[in-house]
Amino acid sequence: MNRAVPASLIELRDVSKIYSLGEGGVTALKKVNLTIQRGEFVAVWGPSGSGKSTLCNLIGLLDSPSRGTVHLDGQDVTRLPDDHRSELRNHSIGFIFQSFNLIPVLSALENVMLPLQIAKRSGKLSKMALERLAEVGLKDHAAHRPAKLSGGQQQRVAIARALVTDPALVIADEPTANLDSENALRIIDLMRRINHKNGTTFVFSTHDQRLLEQVDRQVLMRDGEIIEDRAPEQMESRRPLTVRL
Amino acid sequence: MMTWIKLALRNLFRNRRRSLFTILAIGLGFAAVNTLGGFTEYIFTNLKEGYIYTQGNGHLSIFKAGFLKEGKLDPTRYLLDEAEVTTIQTVLTHYPEILVVAPQLHISGLLSNGKVSTIFVAAGRVPSAVHTINSRARGMMGRIQLFDGKPLEDDVIYGVGLSKGLAEQLKLGLGSDPVAMAPTVSGQINALDAQVFQLFDSPVEALEDKFMLVPLKFAQNLYDTSSVDRLTVLLRDDGLTEPMRAQLAEDLAAQGLKLDIKTWNELSTFYTKVKQMFDVIFLVTFLIVFTIVVMSVVNTVSMAIMERTREIGTLRALGFKRRGIVGLFATESMLLGVFGSLLGTLLTLLIWFGVVLLEPTWVPPQITRRVPLEIYLVPDYMLYSVLLLIVLSLAAASLPARKAARMQIVGALGHT
Ligand SMILES: Nc1ncnc2c1ncn2[C@@H]1O[C@H](COP(=O)(O)OP(=O)(O)OP(=O)(O)O)[C@@H](O)[C@H]1O
Ligand SMILES: [Mg+2]
């Protein structure tokens, strides 16, 4: 595509989300506009019920807005058929979940291989997956089932799984909510380093103020609206936190 | 592909008990249907063999047209005379598929022991021809002798066989000398001395106190005729019955003969009735098994989907398409079907082997003699059962699996 200005990775235009609930509906997002460029490291934060998860789900093509449009890499993906959205998620988006969501019957390595197998990729899938596991420091745990791993380890496997297809975008809805603060910092630091190294775009939501120090950009939400969208002034402090892995 | 089968297998292992019960239900159902099917096959085969070979009725019977309808009232009008028999036999000799052509004359009259007499009906047959037919029986029916005493002979025309009930009524035993009386075709009363060569169980219960077997010449002498009332035809193969009937009907009509050709199953009403009964029993059993299999698979898959809702959401988020989810659960239920069928095959073989080993005997209806009870292995039934059960498992899973595939991803992910 010959475009003078490369399209933003994500563009939400006047996006509203109304959950139908009984007679009325719950408005989770109100005419939200948001643009995220490639390589950004964005935190979405705000009180409970402010619409963070709803926003993440829309960006991640897990759900469709009630009104407005979602563009991914310049393409309007708002009303794509389900199969097409599934392919987009598989190829272009990695997911990290609050409760890790590893498949319990698969080993760490098999979990990481899963997106490649869904994509019907050929070649040395286990080698590719093993490299990702090494990247998150779990090479030695490749054969372990999730139940045999700690929460922090499980989330690192999930990060490896999210990255294995080299997606442009990784969505993480409260990736640290089920972790203690040390592990939480370690996870954010890991994501930050991958963001630096590979230029992968990260969008994650959090309650935790302390994690915000690590990000380029903070999107503050309240009652389904973005009430503040800023980059912290001290750019120096964006250095990766030195935490031992 | 292997990955998804592996995943499905491991998922089945997650709830071993549930999977095991489902596999057990399928396996037991399989074994029930196939054991019953094998027993039914044994019954049908033996009834058929019994009628065609042991009782010497052959595959086809050729009558003069109208004999079966009107022959009871006016038997002599519907007999086949010597010329007709010769014509028919000439036509039949052209077919190598035809092994035996045996003329018969069925007669009725009074049998007397000198003091009292009673009604008898008798099949007059050529003993050597009947023997040839008998000797081709396979299986159990070929091995058992259905009479006490000695065989009838072509040339010893006074030697006859009596059903035990008839012998009892007249207090006759082996070697006794009763007298048979009947009107001849021209209306005179005729009497012939006989000697009891053998005693047997009547193949038809209703005839137990009346039935006799006599050499054809005895019957013809008693009726004072050289005619017969039917020609029994034995074919090389059971499967030739229908095509040969059609072929012969054509050929014999071309000779200007007005004949009725009946197949063994048209004449053996008992076989037809038993078959109908077993077909109903089989259908009911099959429907019960069908219901149990469908219900247990639906239950297993629905439970699995409920327990794994969040996992389904995760797989969908990672890019699994809807049909991928359907495929995953379909694979799981197909594996249940496969394992169930394997278990069922094993159980069926075990039952079969047990029966072979124990050699149980029983007295089936209509045969007043202990015979071995067998269960046949019918590979066709087993193959169809395997296919059917797998298809059934797939079909049963498809409904819940489709519902699972259509779930909202976000909702599924939020499921705990
Ligand atoms: N499936 C749903 N049905 C109805 N209402 C919903 C649904 N999901 C979310 N909501 C409502 O939408 C609003 C936004 O919810 P959302 O989950 O996006 O908030 P959040 O910022 O992620 O909250 P938290 O920090 O607690 O995770 C809330 O009022 C919530 O009750
Ligand atoms: Mg949330």
Side-chain angles (χ1 to χ4, degrees):
Chain A
M1 270 182 257
N2 294 324
R3 263 195 300 246
V5 186
S8 315
L9 184 61
I10 297 159
E11 202 175 331
L12 304 189
R13 290 184 204 153
D14 288 332
V15 164
S16 297
K17 181 70 186 178
I18 299 156
Y19 291 108
S20 47
L21 203 71
E23 307 120 49
V26 181
T27 306
L29 289 182
K30 294 172 197 158
K31 289 203 163 205
V32 168
N33 283 288
L34 179 69
T35 305
I36 296 172
Q37 306 299 336
R38 285 179 176 278
E40 280 197 84
F41 196 73
V42 184
V44 180
W45 65 296
S48 182
S50 56
K52 304 184 293 293
S53 294
T54 306
L55 187 73
C56 286
N57 293 337
L58 291 176
I59 296 173
L61 306 190
L62 295 174
D63 207 351
S64 303
S66 309
R67 250 173 263 123
T69 55
V70 180
H71 287 249
L72 182 71
D73 207 10
Q75 186 191 5
D76 186 350
V77 296
T78 321
R79 305 272 165 237
L80 284 181
D82 188 82
D83 277 3
H84 200 154
R85 292 162 71 88
S86 299
E87 278 165 23
L88 274 176
R89 284 196 302 272
N90 182 225
H91 297 140
S92 311
I93 308 175
F95 290 91
I96 301 167
F97 303 96
Q98 176 176 338
S99 35
F100 324 135
N101 288 17
L102 298 178
I103 305 298
V105 295
L106 298 180
S107 69
L109 185 69
E110 288 165 336
N111 263 287
V112 178
M113 281 164 68
L114 200 53
L116 297 172
Q117 287 164 332
I118 293 172
K120 299 195 172 74
R121 291 267 283 268
S122 54
K124 294 244 170 281
L125 303 190
S126 59
K127 192 163 157 272
M128 294 165 77
L130 204 61
E131 277 167 19
R132 293 304 182 175
L133 272 182
E135 218 171 318
V136 299
L138 287 172
K139 201 176 176 179
D140 298 337
H141 294 71
H144 288 46
R145 293 268 176 108
K148 294 266 165 7
L149 299 171
S150 73
Q153 287 172 327
Q154 286 188 50
Q155 198 60 306
R156 275 146 64 195
V157 173
I159 292 173
R161 181 176 70 181
L163 292 169
V164 76
T165 55
D166 290 314
L169 172 68
V170 172
I171 308 276
D173 188 11
E174 312 240 17
T176 60
N178 283 352
L179 298 174
D180 57 56
S181 52
E182 190 191 338
N183 267 311
L185 280 173
R186 193 185 282 186
I187 291 296
I188 297 299
D189 182 55
L190 180 60
M191 298 194 331
R192 189 71 179 119
R193 283 199 293 167
I194 289 159
N195 164 253
H196 271 295
K197 198 171 114 215
N198 305 343
T200 312
T201 311
F202 278 82
V203 177
F204 75 99
S205 73
T206 185
H207 276 109
D208 194 339
Q209 293 268 5
R210 289 178 307 144
L211 301 178
L212 297 176
E213 295 165 13
Q214 298 300 309
V215 305
D216 297 341
R217 185 172 167 194
Q218 300 172 357
V219 174
L220 175 59
M221 298 195 68
R222 185 168 297 149
D223 295 333
E225 287 175 304
I226 295 176
I227 55 165
E228 193 179 276
D229 184 350
R230 68 182 173 104
E233 292 88 336
Q234 297 103 331
M235 294 307 229
E236 299 93 295
S237 71
R238 276 195 276 128
R239 249 184 288 109
L241 212 73
T242 42
V243 178
R244 298 159 311 278
L245 275 175
Chain B
M1 196 60 214
M2 279 320 289
T3 316
W4 310 129
I5 292 179
K6 191 173 69 186
L7 182 60
L9 257 178
R10 289 196 196 161
N11 278 327
L12 287 184
F13 262 90
R14 264 162 110 161
N15 199 324
R16 266 165 241 221
R17 217 150 99 110
R18 194 168 61 207
S19 301
L20 196 72
F21 271 106
T22 311
I23 290 170
L24 228 81
I26 298 176
L28 288 174
F30 182 107
V33 165
N34 277 279
T35 305
L36 182 65
F39 178 71
T40 310
E41 191 69 13
Y42 151 85
I43 296 277
F44 291 167
T45 307
N46 284 305
L47 281 178
K48 175 175 159 183
E49 299 259 308
Y51 185 82
I52 295 175
Y53 300 102
T54 316
Q55 294 168 34
N57 293 304
H59 294 96
L60 296 171
S61 293
I62 303 173
F63 305 92
K64 188 165 240 180
F67 174 83
L68 289 173
K69 270 197 186 136
E70 315 281 340
K72 288 261 158 29
L73 298 172
D74 191 1
T76 54
R77 256 188 67 196
Y78 295 97
L79 296 182
L80 298 162
D81 63 29
E82 271 180 287
E84 288 166 324
V85 170
T86 311
T87 313
I88 296 171
Q89 277 177 327
T90 312
V91 171
L92 266 50
T93 46
H94 290 119
Y95 291 96
E97 294 92 336
I98 295 177
L99 300 176
V100 181
V101 182
Q104 293 193 23
L105 177 63
H106 289 206
I107 56 171
S108 58
L110 290 174
L111 191 69
S112 163
N113 63 3
K115 295 192 193 92
V116 288
S117 52
T118 184
I119 297 168
F120 76 87
V121 296
R125 310 189 295 182
V126 182
S128 61
V130 174
H131 184 73
T132 313
I133 297 178
N134 292 162
S135 68
R136 299 195 66 91
R138 293 152 292 193
M140 176 192 90
M141 285 309 205
R143 298 195 298 272
I144 57 171
Q145 184 189 336
L146 285 169
F147 62 84
D148 303 323
K150 56 183 179 183
L152 307 187
E153 286 172 42
D154 290 9
D155 303 324
V156 188
I157 61 171
Y158 58 85
V160 301
L162 263 57
S163 58
K164 286 176 180 158
L166 177 59
E168 220 162 85
Q169 270 199 339
L170 295 176
K171 306 233 173 336
L172 297 169
L174 291 171
S176 310
D177 301 293
V179 177
M181 290 173 288
T184 64
V185 288
S186 50
Q188 261 90 47
I189 290 292
N190 195 7
L192 274 186
D193 287 323
Q195 192 179 87
V196 180
F197 271 27
Q198 59 177 234
L199 295 172
F200 55 83
D201 299 308
S202 165
V204 184
E205 197 126 33
L207 294 179
E208 182 60 33
D209 60 352
K210 317 185 176 52
F211 196 58
M212 277 177 80
L213 285 173
V214 302
L216 178 63
K217 284 189 191 135
F218 183 97
Q220 288 177 326
N221 285 356
L222 192 61
Y223 269 26
D224 190 24
T225 178
S226 56
S227 300
V228 300
D229 64 12
R230 75 197 67 184
L231 289 174
T232 299
V233 177
L234 185 76
L235 301 172
R236 202 181 54 210
D237 189 282
D238 298 345
L240 293 170
T241 306
E242 278 301 334
M244 277 308 283
R245 185 235 296 262
Q247 183 65 45
L248 291 180
E250 201 174 293
D251 287 7
L252 292 170
Q255 297 289 326
L257 294 167
K258 285 208 165 58
L259 303 169
D260 264 344
I261 305 180
K262 295 285 176 194
T263 60
W264 63 270
N265 48 346
E266 287 170 340
L267 294 173
S268 174
T269 44
F270 184 65
Y271 175 87
T272 315
K273 275 188 191 152
V274 171
K275 185 152 170 57
Q276 280 167 353
M277 181 184 79
F278 268 106
D279 284 349
V280 171
I281 295 175
F282 193 79
L283 184 73
V284 170
T285 311
F286 178 79
L287 284 177
I288 293 171
V289 167
F290 181 99
T291 313
I292 291 174
V293 167
V294 170
M295 273 170 44
S296 30
V297 172
V298 166
N299 178 59
T300 303
V301 174
S302 308
M303 300 272 278
I305 285 169
M306 247 170 44
E307 289 165 4
R308 280 157 45 198
T309 302
R310 199 152 61 90
E311 226 172 285
I312 294 169
T314 307
L315 290 173
R316 293 276 286 132
L318 296 184
F320 242 71
K321 292 179 185 162
R322 284 185 173 140
R323 58 174 174 277
I325 299 293
V326 174
L328 184 63
F329 285 100
T331 310
E332 283 178 33
S333 61
M334 197 185 69
L335 286 174
L336 287 174
V338 169
F339 290 139
S341 302
L342 279 180
L343 178 72
T345 307
L346 204 73
L347 285 175
T348 310
L349 287 174
L350 270 176
I351 294 169
W352 171 79
F353 191 65
V355 170
V356 167
L357 216 64
L358 296 174
E359 297 185 330
T361 58
W362 69 311
V363 182
Q366 298 276 355
I367 294 185
T368 31
R369 204 171 271 268
R370 272 205 164 264
V371 297
L373 186 150
E374 291 175 48
I375 287 169
Y376 287 1
L377 276 186
V378 192
D380 276 12
Y381 285 179
M382 311 237 297
L383 191 70
Y384 287 134
S385 304
V386 171
L387 293 179
L388 191 86
L389 282 175
I390 292 174
V391 169
L392 214 59
S393 307
L394 276 176
S398 75
L399 212 74
R402 262 165 218 286
K403 248 175 78 184
R406 305 210 79 85
M407 277 190 298
Q408 295 285 324
I409 302 173
V410 173
L413 280 169
H415 200 272
T416 41

